[in-house]
Amino acid sequence: MSDQWHLRESYTFDRNVIAEIQRAANTGIYRIRGWGAKRELPTLDDLVVLGASMSRYPLEGYREACGTDVVIGEGRAAKPVRLDIPVTIAGMSFGSLSAQAKEALGRGANAAGTSTTTGDGGMTPEERGHSRTLVYQYLPSRYGMNPDDLRKADAIEVVVGQGAKPGGGGMLLGQKINERVARMRTLPEGIDQRSACRHPDWTGPDDLEIKIIELREITDWQVPIYVKVGAARPYYDTALAVKAGADAVVVDGMQGGTAATQDVFIEHVGIPTIAAIPEATRALRELGVHRGEVKLIAAGGIRSGADVAKAMALGADAVSIGTAALIAIGDNDPVYDAEYRALGSAAGAWDDFQAGTDPAGITTQDPELASRLDPEIAGRRLANYLQVLTLEAQTIARACGKSHLHNLEPEDLAALTVPAAAMAKVPLAGTSWIPGMEHTAG
Amino acid sequence: MTDVTTFDLADRTVRELNQALHDATSGAFRVTSPRGAHAVAAGIDAAIDVEIDGSVGYYCAGMHQQGTVRIDGNASTGLAENMMSGTVRITGSATMSAGATGHGGLLVVEGNAGARCGISMKGLDIVVGGDVGHMSAFMAQAGNLVVLGDAADDLGDSIYEAELYVRGSVASLGTDCVEKPVEAEHLATLTDLLERSGLDADPADFRRYGSARRLYNFHVDDIAAELAEGGATGIAAELAEGGATGNGAA
Ligand SMILES: Cc1cc2nc3c(=O)[nH]c(=O)nc-3n(C[C@H](O)[C@H](O)[C@H](O)COP(=O)(O)O)c2cc1C
């Protein structure tokens, strides 16, 4: 039928592409949004776990112990961070999130025995109060940075970059810069905040080494220091972070979430998490600190216990979650579908974290919207979700015969696609072929 | 100044020094042979007086609160970075990022300050006896930077609400930084800062610079809405005025 031919859409210029060109032509500004990369990318789903068989011995699912704890900073910090589960809550600022959302994250993390993290905007007394283990981010903007809060932190995370935008600074649009947020950041109310992308007083790994010493001096060597990088060159960044004296390296892949970033940044800068973890691990192994002195925390698109187990098998000691934690506390909840639709979106598609109009009361500073989120109920939801992630990861680890999650290893994995095999450096399923590796697996 | 505790960094560590300074609630300290050590006197939070005889490395008096630190010598990167209160004074010069992100207190550099002096400052007052390097007061949010000498290129680039006063020449102003009139209130601020810094200059000799506030918000066009409202006159007028301002340089 010729009608059908007239309705043929272009693969190159599909509806989304056409809509974006039209939007750009109308507004003259790049698209800014929240969430992480939305296009199809190689993920941990492209890996499968090799359960026990004749040559491997599984553990009993309900009886035999499978450890999940992780300790960060042992050796250098007087008070290392001790987590019951290897799933941490990633840095998300008060400002990008409502006070209720921050409280919910703290409550959920406490119940599950893990840590939460501040963000680009400083530490609020409420989040300190609601988080038993709180990591304080040290960002290029230094908004709200002060030594009193630094000394209250259980760990310090020097943020070099973020997976959603390696090489980019923070962003918070005027709608969300209310009086309190403005005061915490020493900025005029209502401005479109574009924070610095480079640290103001150090450049390069040699400076960072001295910076870390300063932070340790100010805090009397009490707490561990992490370095967070967006995944671009994870092998070198991890090696340099170790050289600079980090106790943990956080590597955030390109799927990583954000509160507000240019869409072009989110979708096109950085490398996927599946490619980043093995490279970071390789650096730690070569320096002799893997599963030892320096811990690797992987982030970017972690959704399930399978992701946790696979990330750990690739070498991570723990993972960090942002988007999934927000969903667990109520983001994109179908009960708000009509309201999401009134805003031109839908439950399951909402990513306008920058807008401040979140019907679920999470990515907003509007007191009325924020009051919709009950921090206790939302905290319980997060605790439940964290428990499921842990149980799922343990299920997989036990099937591989591991008595601790950190005993998972690349040998427990196979890849479903050639790209995944090349990136993860595990053999293509059913073969011993690892593309790009001289020696193939046995 | 009766009891002065002396720390000779030739045979004591910076760790020992800083721990002693953190444990102290009052008193005076003298640090000898700093020999370019890093993080000397970082993290002070008490009304103590510390005098350092010689030059220091990075981040001397970092995140300083309450007390007074005086350096008889020069300092490397990040002198008094993120200081909150109190006074830090250096008789010589400071290299890059002196007073970076400082929230409060007074930093006096009697010599010159290098690049990015007062970068992202958030309420601190800085008085520099000599010149400041390029990109000084980059993204400076609040506080005052007073320069008795000259300022190098791109002064106050992407500046927010900080106030800049320069007595000498300014090689160039950064994006969105403009000269502003000096009113009575600014003369009063200058007079006070010069007096407290102990540096000799006439407040009337300074010129004032600050934000044009053109980068504060994204410029978002909406042609569709304009057309819906009735005709392209708005856009036509805007184009005729050459008003396509774009999104700024940030
Ligand atoms: C709402 C929101 C706010 C964020 N704010 C920050 C921040 O202030 N600092 C930071 O380093 N990362 C920030 N991130 C990134 C997270 O710390 C984390 O790297 C990312 O969310 C991990 O990927 P995931 O969302 O797929 O789990 C933010 C993410 C979200 C979703």
PDB file of all heavy atoms in Angstrom, chain B residues 94 109 111-118 126-137 145-153 155 165-166 169 171:
ATOM      1  N   ALA B  94      51.950  34.582  47.979  1.00  0.00           N
ATOM      2  CA  ALA B  94      51.264  33.292  47.940  1.00  0.00           C
ATOM      3  C   ALA B  94      51.082  32.909  46.476  1.00  0.00           C
ATOM      4  O   ALA B  94      50.759  33.763  45.658  1.00  0.00           O
ATOM      5  CB  ALA B  94      49.912  33.393  48.626  1.00  0.00           C
ATOM      6  N   VAL B 109      47.561  39.176  52.263  1.00  0.00           N
ATOM      7  CA  VAL B 109      48.786  38.777  51.565  1.00  0.00           C
ATOM      8  C   VAL B 109      49.573  40.071  51.357  1.00  0.00           C
ATOM      9  O   VAL B 109      49.185  40.914  50.550  1.00  0.00           O
ATOM     10  CB  VAL B 109      48.476  38.097  50.216  1.00  0.00           C
ATOM     11  CG1 VAL B 109      49.767  37.718  49.499  1.00  0.00           C
ATOM     12  CG2 VAL B 109      47.588  36.881  50.418  1.00  0.00           C
ATOM     13  N   GLY B 111      52.585  40.494  50.114  1.00  0.00           N
ATOM     14  CA  GLY B 111      53.261  40.495  48.809  1.00  0.00           C
ATOM     15  C   GLY B 111      52.256  40.317  47.685  1.00  0.00           C
ATOM     16  O   GLY B 111      51.171  40.901  47.712  1.00  0.00           O
ATOM     17  N   ASN B 112      52.606  39.474  46.716  1.00  0.00           N
ATOM     18  CA  ASN B 112      51.709  39.201  45.589  1.00  0.00           C
ATOM     19  C   ASN B 112      50.957  37.889  45.801  1.00  0.00           C
ATOM     20  O   ASN B 112      51.411  37.016  46.536  1.00  0.00           O
ATOM     21  CB  ASN B 112      52.513  39.073  44.290  1.00  0.00           C
ATOM     22  CG  ASN B 112      53.309  40.334  43.992  1.00  0.00           C
ATOM     23  OD1 ASN B 112      52.774  41.446  44.091  1.00  0.00           O
ATOM     24  ND2 ASN B 112      54.589  40.167  43.662  1.00  0.00           N
ATOM     25  N   ALA B 113      49.837  37.777  45.104  1.00  0.00           N
ATOM     26  CA  ALA B 113      49.117  36.499  45.079  1.00  0.00           C
ATOM     27  C   ALA B 113      49.059  36.041  43.630  1.00  0.00           C
ATOM     28  O   ALA B 113      48.884  36.852  42.723  1.00  0.00           O
ATOM     29  CB  ALA B 113      47.716  36.658  45.649  1.00  0.00           C
ATOM     30  N   GLY B 114      49.197  34.736  43.417  1.00  0.00           N
ATOM     31  CA  GLY B 114      49.238  34.197  42.066  1.00  0.00           C
ATOM     32  C   GLY B 114      47.860  34.033  41.452  1.00  0.00           C
ATOM     33  O   GLY B 114      46.898  34.685  41.860  1.00  0.00           O
ATOM     34  N   ALA B 115      47.789  33.132  40.490  1.00  0.00           N
ATOM     35  CA  ALA B 115      46.537  32.905  39.762  1.00  0.00           C
ATOM     36  C   ALA B 115      45.425  32.439  40.692  1.00  0.00           C
ATOM     37  O   ALA B 115      45.679  31.822  41.719  1.00  0.00           O
ATOM     38  CB  ALA B 115      46.761  31.858  38.675  1.00  0.00           C
ATOM     39  N   ARG B 116      44.213  32.765  40.311  1.00  0.00           N
ATOM     40  CA  ARG B 116      43.000  32.277  40.984  1.00  0.00           C
ATOM     41  C   ARG B 116      42.901  32.683  42.446  1.00  0.00           C
ATOM     42  O   ARG B 116      42.315  31.963  43.250  1.00  0.00           O
ATOM     43  CB  ARG B 116      42.886  30.758  40.869  1.00  0.00           C
ATOM     44  CG  ARG B 116      42.792  30.289  39.451  1.00  0.00           C
ATOM     45  CD  ARG B 116      42.602  28.789  39.356  1.00  0.00           C
ATOM     46  NE  ARG B 116      43.155  28.307  38.106  1.00  0.00           N
ATOM     47  CZ  ARG B 116      44.387  27.829  37.961  1.00  0.00           C
ATOM     48  NH1 ARG B 116      45.170  27.705  38.959  1.00  0.00           N
ATOM     49  NH2 ARG B 116      44.821  27.460  36.788  1.00  0.00           N
ATOM     50  N   CYS B 117      43.471  33.812  42.781  1.00  0.00           N
ATOM     51  CA  CYS B 117      43.307  34.285  44.160  1.00  0.00           C
ATOM     52  C   CYS B 117      41.810  34.521  44.397  1.00  0.00           C
ATOM     53  O   CYS B 117      41.135  35.137  43.581  1.00  0.00           O
ATOM     54  CB  CYS B 117      44.093  35.581  44.338  1.00  0.00           C
ATOM     55  SG  CYS B 117      43.903  36.310  45.967  1.00  0.00           S
ATOM     56  N   GLY B 118      41.297  33.988  45.496  1.00  0.00           N
ATOM     57  CA  GLY B 118      39.881  34.211  45.819  1.00  0.00           C
ATOM     58  C   GLY B 118      38.913  33.460  44.930  1.00  0.00           C
ATOM     59  O   GLY B 118      37.731  33.804  44.855  1.00  0.00           O
ATOM     60  N   ILE B 126      39.686  39.382  51.385  1.00  0.00           N
ATOM     61  CA  ILE B 126      41.102  39.204  51.052  1.00  0.00           C
ATOM     62  C   ILE B 126      41.691  40.570  50.719  1.00  0.00           C
ATOM     63  O   ILE B 126      41.106  41.322  49.925  1.00  0.00           O
ATOM     64  CB  ILE B 126      41.292  38.268  49.831  1.00  0.00           C
ATOM     65  CG1 ILE B 126      40.589  36.929  50.052  1.00  0.00           C
ATOM     66  CG2 ILE B 126      42.771  38.060  49.532  1.00  0.00           C
ATOM     67  CD1 ILE B 126      40.664  35.974  48.846  1.00  0.00           C
ATOM     68  N   VAL B 127      42.832  40.899  51.323  1.00  0.00           N
ATOM     69  CA  VAL B 127      43.536  42.123  50.957  1.00  0.00           C
ATOM     70  C   VAL B 127      44.942  41.732  50.500  1.00  0.00           C
ATOM     71  O   VAL B 127      45.665  41.038  51.218  1.00  0.00           O
ATOM     72  CB  VAL B 127      43.625  43.114  52.140  1.00  0.00           C
ATOM     73  CG1 VAL B 127      44.310  44.405  51.690  1.00  0.00           C
ATOM     74  CG2 VAL B 127      42.243  43.412  52.703  1.00  0.00           C
ATOM     75  N   VAL B 128      45.295  42.139  49.290  1.00  0.00           N
ATOM     76  CA  VAL B 128      46.595  41.787  48.717  1.00  0.00           C
ATOM     77  C   VAL B 128      47.400  43.071  48.530  1.00  0.00           C
ATOM     78  O   VAL B 128      46.949  44.002  47.840  1.00  0.00           O
ATOM     79  CB  VAL B 128      46.424  41.056  47.362  1.00  0.00           C
ATOM     80  CG1 VAL B 128      47.786  40.716  46.754  1.00  0.00           C
ATOM     81  CG2 VAL B 128      45.581  39.796  47.538  1.00  0.00           C
ATOM     82  N   GLY B 129      48.586  43.124  49.128  1.00  0.00           N
ATOM     83  CA  GLY B 129      49.420  44.320  49.042  1.00  0.00           C
ATOM     84  C   GLY B 129      49.987  44.544  47.657  1.00  0.00           C
ATOM     85  O   GLY B 129      50.152  45.674  47.199  1.00  0.00           O
ATOM     86  N   GLY B 130      50.285  43.455  46.956  1.00  0.00           N
ATOM     87  CA  GLY B 130      50.867  43.556  45.617  1.00  0.00           C
ATOM     88  C   GLY B 130      49.850  43.253  44.543  1.00  0.00           C
ATOM     89  O   GLY B 130      48.718  43.736  44.591  1.00  0.00           O
ATOM     90  N   ASP B 131      50.257  42.404  43.585  1.00  0.00           N
ATOM     91  CA  ASP B 131      49.404  42.073  42.437  1.00  0.00           C
ATOM     92  C   ASP B 131      48.688  40.735  42.648  1.00  0.00           C
ATOM     93  O   ASP B 131      49.110  39.920  43.463  1.00  0.00           O
ATOM     94  CB  ASP B 131      50.266  41.951  41.168  1.00  0.00           C
ATOM     95  CG  ASP B 131      51.123  43.189  40.935  1.00  0.00           C
ATOM     96  OD1 ASP B 131      50.708  44.277  41.376  1.00  0.00           O
ATOM     97  OD2 ASP B 131      52.210  43.041  40.323  1.00  0.00           O
ATOM     98  N   VAL B 132      47.662  40.519  41.831  1.00  0.00           N
ATOM     99  CA  VAL B 132      47.040  39.188  41.776  1.00  0.00           C
ATOM    100  C   VAL B 132      47.146  38.639  40.358  1.00  0.00           C
ATOM    101  O   VAL B 132      47.131  39.389  39.386  1.00  0.00           O
ATOM    102  CB  VAL B 132      45.558  39.178  42.224  1.00  0.00           C
ATOM    103  CG1 VAL B 132      45.430  39.521  43.702  1.00  0.00           C
ATOM    104  CG2 VAL B 132      44.701  40.100  41.370  1.00  0.00           C
ATOM    105  N   GLY B 133      47.224  37.305  40.265  1.00  0.00           N
ATOM    106  CA  GLY B 133      47.400  36.637  38.975  1.00  0.00           C
ATOM    107  C   GLY B 133      46.099  36.496  38.209  1.00  0.00           C
ATOM    108  O   GLY B 133      45.042  36.971  38.636  1.00  0.00           O
ATOM    109  N   HIS B 134      46.190  35.792  37.072  1.00  0.00           N
ATOM    110  CA  HIS B 134      45.022  35.655  36.197  1.00  0.00           C
ATOM    111  C   HIS B 134      43.922  34.823  36.838  1.00  0.00           C
ATOM    112  O   HIS B 134      44.166  34.028  37.717  1.00  0.00           O
ATOM    113  CB  HIS B 134      45.431  35.057  34.851  1.00  0.00           C
ATOM    114  CG  HIS B 134      45.939  33.649  34.945  1.00  0.00           C
ATOM    115  ND1 HIS B 134      47.264  33.349  35.119  1.00  0.00           N
ATOM    116  CD2 HIS B 134      45.291  32.480  34.920  1.00  0.00           C
ATOM    117  CE1 HIS B 134      47.399  32.040  35.177  1.00  0.00           C
ATOM    118  NE2 HIS B 134      46.229  31.495  35.078  1.00  0.00           N
ATOM    119  N   MET B 135      42.717  35.057  36.374  1.00  0.00           N
ATOM    120  CA  MET B 135      41.522  34.349  36.842  1.00  0.00           C
ATOM    121  C   MET B 135      41.281  34.525  38.346  1.00  0.00           C
ATOM    122  O   MET B 135      40.668  33.669  38.979  1.00  0.00           O
ATOM    123  CB  MET B 135      41.594  32.844  36.527  1.00  0.00           C
ATOM    124  CG  MET B 135      41.571  32.491  35.059  1.00  0.00           C
ATOM    125  SD  MET B 135      40.054  32.977  34.231  1.00  0.00           S
ATOM    126  CE  MET B 135      39.147  31.463  34.253  1.00  0.00           C
ATOM    127  N   SER B 136      41.743  35.623  38.901  1.00  0.00           N
ATOM    128  CA  SER B 136      41.440  35.849  40.309  1.00  0.00           C
ATOM    129  C   SER B 136      39.952  36.133  40.446  1.00  0.00           C
ATOM    130  O   SER B 136      39.321  36.688  39.552  1.00  0.00           O
ATOM    131  CB  SER B 136      42.285  36.997  40.860  1.00  0.00           C
ATOM    132  OG  SER B 136      43.612  36.531  41.054  1.00  0.00           O
ATOM    133  N   ALA B 137      39.396  35.707  41.587  1.00  0.00           N
ATOM    134  CA  ALA B 137      37.963  35.847  41.878  1.00  0.00           C
ATOM    135  C   ALA B 137      37.091  35.159  40.827  1.00  0.00           C
ATOM    136  O   ALA B 137      35.959  35.558  40.585  1.00  0.00           O
ATOM    137  CB  ALA B 137      37.559  37.308  42.043  1.00  0.00           C
ATOM    138  N   LEU B 145      37.505  41.288  47.617  1.00  0.00           N
ATOM    139  CA  LEU B 145      38.917  41.122  47.257  1.00  0.00           C
ATOM    140  C   LEU B 145      39.473  42.511  46.973  1.00  0.00           C
ATOM    141  O   LEU B 145      38.991  43.204  46.073  1.00  0.00           O
ATOM    142  CB  LEU B 145      39.055  40.228  46.016  1.00  0.00           C
ATOM    143  CG  LEU B 145      40.467  40.148  45.405  1.00  0.00           C
ATOM    144  CD1 LEU B 145      41.462  39.522  46.375  1.00  0.00           C
ATOM    145  CD2 LEU B 145      40.455  39.353  44.095  1.00  0.00           C
ATOM    146  N   VAL B 146      40.468  42.910  47.771  1.00  0.00           N
ATOM    147  CA  VAL B 146      41.071  44.228  47.622  1.00  0.00           C
ATOM    148  C   VAL B 146      42.506  44.045  47.144  1.00  0.00           C
ATOM    149  O   VAL B 146      43.289  43.321  47.769  1.00  0.00           O
ATOM    150  CB  VAL B 146      41.065  44.993  48.965  1.00  0.00           C
ATOM    151  CG1 VAL B 146      41.721  46.363  48.809  1.00  0.00           C
ATOM    152  CG2 VAL B 146      39.645  45.117  49.504  1.00  0.00           C
ATOM    153  N   VAL B 147      42.848  44.668  46.022  1.00  0.00           N
ATOM    154  CA  VAL B 147      44.178  44.498  45.439  1.00  0.00           C
ATOM    155  C   VAL B 147      44.845  45.870  45.344  1.00  0.00           C
ATOM    156  O   VAL B 147      44.353  46.754  44.635  1.00  0.00           O
ATOM    157  CB  VAL B 147      44.083  43.853  44.030  1.00  0.00           C
ATOM    158  CG1 VAL B 147      45.469  43.642  43.441  1.00  0.00           C
ATOM    159  CG2 VAL B 147      43.309  42.542  44.093  1.00  0.00           C
ATOM    160  N   LEU B 148      45.974  46.044  46.059  1.00  0.00           N
ATOM    161  CA  LEU B 148      46.655  47.337  46.022  1.00  0.00           C
ATOM    162  C   LEU B 148      47.470  47.502  44.737  1.00  0.00           C
ATOM    163  O   LEU B 148      47.734  48.618  44.300  1.00  0.00           O
ATOM    164  CB  LEU B 148      47.552  47.505  47.256  1.00  0.00           C
ATOM    165  CG  LEU B 148      46.833  48.044  48.515  1.00  0.00           C
ATOM    166  CD1 LEU B 148      45.726  47.107  48.998  1.00  0.00           C
ATOM    167  CD2 LEU B 148      47.827  48.335  49.632  1.00  0.00           C
ATOM    168  N   GLY B 149      47.892  46.390  44.162  1.00  0.00           N
ATOM    169  CA  GLY B 149      48.657  46.452  42.918  1.00  0.00           C
ATOM    170  C   GLY B 149      47.769  46.236  41.705  1.00  0.00           C
ATOM    171  O   GLY B 149      46.652  46.759  41.641  1.00  0.00           O
ATOM    172  N   ASP B 150      48.261  45.423  40.756  1.00  0.00           N
ATOM    173  CA  ASP B 150      47.538  45.182  39.503  1.00  0.00           C
ATOM    174  C   ASP B 150      46.864  43.814  39.512  1.00  0.00           C
ATOM    175  O   ASP B 150      47.281  42.911  40.234  1.00  0.00           O
ATOM    176  CB  ASP B 150      48.521  45.224  38.324  1.00  0.00           C
ATOM    177  CG  ASP B 150      49.293  46.534  38.264  1.00  0.00           C
ATOM    178  OD1 ASP B 150      48.742  47.561  38.716  1.00  0.00           O
ATOM    179  OD2 ASP B 150      50.460  46.514  37.789  1.00  0.00           O
ATOM    180  N   ALA B 151      45.880  43.674  38.634  1.00  0.00           N
ATOM    181  CA  ALA B 151      45.232  42.371  38.437  1.00  0.00           C
ATOM    182  C   ALA B 151      45.542  41.885  37.030  1.00  0.00           C
ATOM    183  O   ALA B 151      45.432  42.644  36.070  1.00  0.00           O
ATOM    184  CB  ALA B 151      43.726  42.483  38.641  1.00  0.00           C
ATOM    185  N   ALA B 152      45.903  40.603  36.910  1.00  0.00           N
ATOM    186  CA  ALA B 152      46.195  40.024  35.594  1.00  0.00           C
ATOM    187  C   ALA B 152      44.888  39.674  34.879  1.00  0.00           C
ATOM    188  O   ALA B 152      43.807  39.998  35.351  1.00  0.00           O
ATOM    189  CB  ALA B 152      47.098  38.803  35.757  1.00  0.00           C
ATOM    190  N   ASP B 153      45.006  38.968  33.758  1.00  0.00           N
ATOM    191  CA  ASP B 153      43.855  38.731  32.874  1.00  0.00           C
ATOM    192  C   ASP B 153      42.667  38.054  33.539  1.00  0.00           C
ATOM    193  O   ASP B 153      42.819  37.269  34.472  1.00  0.00           O
ATOM    194  CB  ASP B 153      44.302  37.855  31.697  1.00  0.00           C
ATOM    195  CG  ASP B 153      44.946  38.698  30.608  1.00  0.00           C
ATOM    196  OD1 ASP B 153      44.432  39.800  30.345  1.00  0.00           O
ATOM    197  OD2 ASP B 153      45.969  38.260  30.051  1.00  0.00           O
ATOM    198  N   LEU B 155      40.024  38.952  35.318  1.00  0.00           N
ATOM    199  CA  LEU B 155      39.609  39.186  36.702  1.00  0.00           C
ATOM    200  C   LEU B 155      38.094  38.977  36.816  1.00  0.00           C
ATOM    201  O   LEU B 155      37.318  39.460  35.991  1.00  0.00           O
ATOM    202  CB  LEU B 155      39.953  40.627  37.115  1.00  0.00           C
ATOM    203  CG  LEU B 155      39.516  41.017  38.531  1.00  0.00           C
ATOM    204  CD1 LEU B 155      40.373  40.309  39.585  1.00  0.00           C
ATOM    205  CD2 LEU B 155      39.584  42.531  38.733  1.00  0.00           C
ATOM    206  N   TYR B 165      38.013  45.198  44.377  1.00  0.00           N
ATOM    207  CA  TYR B 165      38.556  46.558  44.376  1.00  0.00           C
ATOM    208  C   TYR B 165      40.016  46.487  43.944  1.00  0.00           C
ATOM    209  O   TYR B 165      40.800  45.756  44.558  1.00  0.00           O
ATOM    210  CB  TYR B 165      38.477  47.177  45.773  1.00  0.00           C
ATOM    211  CG  TYR B 165      37.055  47.264  46.315  1.00  0.00           C
ATOM    212  CD1 TYR B 165      36.536  46.253  47.129  1.00  0.00           C
ATOM    213  CD2 TYR B 165      36.249  48.359  46.016  1.00  0.00           C
ATOM    214  CE1 TYR B 165      35.241  46.339  47.623  1.00  0.00           C
ATOM    215  CE2 TYR B 165      34.949  48.453  46.510  1.00  0.00           C
ATOM    216  CZ  TYR B 165      34.453  47.439  47.317  1.00  0.00           C
ATOM    217  OH  TYR B 165      33.166  47.531  47.791  1.00  0.00           O
ATOM    218  N   VAL B 166      40.374  47.218  42.919  1.00  0.00           N
ATOM    219  CA  VAL B 166      41.751  47.175  42.428  1.00  0.00           C
ATOM    220  C   VAL B 166      42.285  48.606  42.325  1.00  0.00           C
ATOM    221  O   VAL B 166      41.629  49.484  41.746  1.00  0.00           O
ATOM    222  CB  VAL B 166      41.844  46.473  41.049  1.00  0.00           C
ATOM    223  CG1 VAL B 166      43.298  46.390  40.585  1.00  0.00           C
ATOM    224  CG2 VAL B 166      41.225  45.076  41.102  1.00  0.00           C
ATOM    225  N   SER B 169      46.265  48.530  37.677  1.00  0.00           N
ATOM    226  CA  SER B 169      45.619  48.245  36.396  1.00  0.00           C
ATOM    227  C   SER B 169      44.969  46.868  36.413  1.00  0.00           C
ATOM    228  O   SER B 169      45.365  45.983  37.174  1.00  0.00           O
ATOM    229  CB  SER B 169      46.655  48.304  35.277  1.00  0.00           C
ATOM    230  OG  SER B 169      47.583  47.246  35.449  1.00  0.00           O
ATOM    231  N   ALA B 171      44.391  43.903  33.714  1.00  0.00           N
ATOM    232  CA  ALA B 171      44.774  43.505  32.350  1.00  0.00           C
ATOM    233  C   ALA B 171      43.541  43.239  31.502  1.00  0.00           C
ATOM    234  O   ALA B 171      43.452  43.681  30.368  1.00  0.00           O
ATOM    235  CB  ALA B 171      45.688  42.279  32.394  1.00  0.00           C
TER     236      ALA B 171
END
